[in-house]
Amino acid sequence: MSPSASPASQQFAIEVANLQCRYGERVVLDNVSFTVTPGEIFFIIGGNGCGKSTLLRHMIGLKQPERGSVKYFGRDFTHADRAGRQELLRTFGVLYQNGALWSSMTLAENVALPLELYTDINRWERARIVALKLAQVGLAGFGDYYPVELSGGMKRRAGLARALALDPAIVFFDEPSAGLDPITSLKLDELIRQIRDTLGTTIVIVSHELASIFDIADRMVMIDPGARGVIAEGEPKTLRDFSPDARVQDFLNRRGEPVGQQEGLKL
């Protein structure tokens, strides 16, 4: 459930306004603004080194922007006090690249961790929720397995189960299909769409995988390193066919240099 906010603010799940992201003296992104509506599958795309994972880090609070703000359901996350930020953090989950599971924990223990940290429910209720979340991602019966015993696709699903543990209003994905074969990637896309359709979850995905972008994205923004910001926003197929910007056309039509893999988020 989304945090409380005024009815007017409920039109947007996320509002990014005039965001500037920098590392030291180097400005990576400047004046980045866009909105995401509740229940959207929204992609942040761009080539290698464009700053899309940097943008995600700033959106989820791993880095503090130099300027601008990020709001969730009308509430300012960037400038919130510690208590306000902690409250908002519980409204979204994150699937890090490669799942980012704790190797010393079973899948059940990994999924239970957010429940242990952020709720006071008893262990029997935690076990019930863990079983439900694993079932939601197609991993019923795998709770006693360790990450090393799983395939790459299963690790992503387990990471998604953990991201869903607190029933978040928003789930962020960092390159969810990186390193997966096409069939596994397709199944993961189908699962993401199913999560959105059944739970009403807002989905934000950092990716350069065109198959996924054209298959499940409702809207997208494209980041360009030369512009240090957003150069296109809209529905992917419309931008592919009609964008006046050659950079957008080249990227979405696979013209020019191959697009490399963006460095993922680190825990």
Side-chain angles (χ1 to χ4, degrees):
M1 182 178 296
S2 64
S4 60
S6 66
S9 70
Q10 292 294 321
Q11 63 181 311
F12 298 126
I14 306 171
E15 298 173 74
V16 177
N18 305 313
L19 209 66
Q20 184 185 86
C21 308
R22 67 163 64 211
Y23 293 108
E25 296 300 313
R26 177 171 172 254
V27 176
V28 179
L29 296 168
D30 195 22
N31 201 34
V32 172
S33 299
F34 59 87
T35 59
V36 182
T37 59
E40 270 195 311
I41 298 179
F42 187 89
F43 273 68
I44 299 170
I45 77 167
N48 188 33
C50 71
K52 56 187 185 291
S53 283
T54 292
L55 174 58
L56 183 54
R57 289 187 183 98
H58 285 75
M59 289 177 68
I60 65 176
L62 293 180
K63 295 285 292 182
Q64 184 72 6
E66 188 73 16
R67 188 176 67 240
S69 66
V70 179
K71 293 182 180 179
Y72 293 109
F73 297 98
R75 295 181 57 186
D76 193 333
F77 176 71
T78 304
H79 303 104
D81 60 19
R82 180 179 177 83
R85 178 170 283 222
Q86 286 296 318
E87 182 181 354
L88 286 169
L89 281 171
R90 297 178 193 183
T91 69
F92 58 79
V94 183
L95 175 58
Y96 296 91
Q97 196 173 130
N98 300 318
L101 300 170
W102 296 100
S103 60
S104 60
M105 295 180 176
T106 65
L107 295 196
E109 290 169 338
N110 268 280
V111 177
L113 189 58
L115 298 168
E116 294 174 2
L117 292 175
Y118 298 113
T119 75
D120 57 2
I121 61 177
N122 61 49
R123 62 189 180 94
W124 294 282
E125 181 65 10
R126 285 201 303 269
R128 185 192 69 80
I129 294 173
V130 167
L132 173 62
K133 297 306 175 184
L134 287 173
Q136 283 180 339
V137 300
L139 290 176
F142 284 87
D144 291 333
Y145 282 63
Y146 285 87
V148 70
E149 301 175 285
L150 304 181
S151 67
M154 294 172 75
K155 289 177 183 177
R156 308 294 166 85
R157 287 172 176 264
L160 178 55
R162 184 179 60 189
L164 293 171
L166 296 175
D167 293 324
I170 304 168
V171 177
F172 294 94
F173 294 75
D174 182 45
E175 297 284 3
S177 298
L180 299 181
D181 65 80
I183 299 302
T184 303
S185 296
L186 176 62
K187 291 180 178 178
L188 183 58
D189 286 345
E190 292 172 348
L191 177 59
I192 291 171
R193 182 158 44 202
Q194 178 184 342
I195 293 294
R196 189 278 303 274
D197 291 346
T198 57
L199 302 179
T201 309
T202 302
I203 305 291
V204 177
I205 302 175
V206 166
S207 181
H208 62 259
E209 299 288 344
L210 292 183
S212 296
I213 293 165
F214 290 129
D215 187 34
I216 65 172
D218 295 311
R219 287 192 308 122
M220 50 155 270
V221 290
M222 181 171 172
I223 306 294
D224 180 76
R228 296 189 300 185
V230 174
I231 60 170
E233 179 175 357
E235 193 274 327
K237 292 178 182 178
T238 300
L239 291 172
R240 177 195 63 193
D241 297 337
F242 301 110
S243 174
D245 193 315
R247 295 166 296 181
V248 180
Q249 288 270 349
D250 288 346
F251 187 96
L252 294 177
N253 287 284
R254 295 186 181 274
R255 295 196 292 257
E257 293 297 320
V259 179
Q261 178 176 311
Q262 174 75 7
E263 181 183 354
L265 299 181
K266 307 297 183 183
L267 281 176

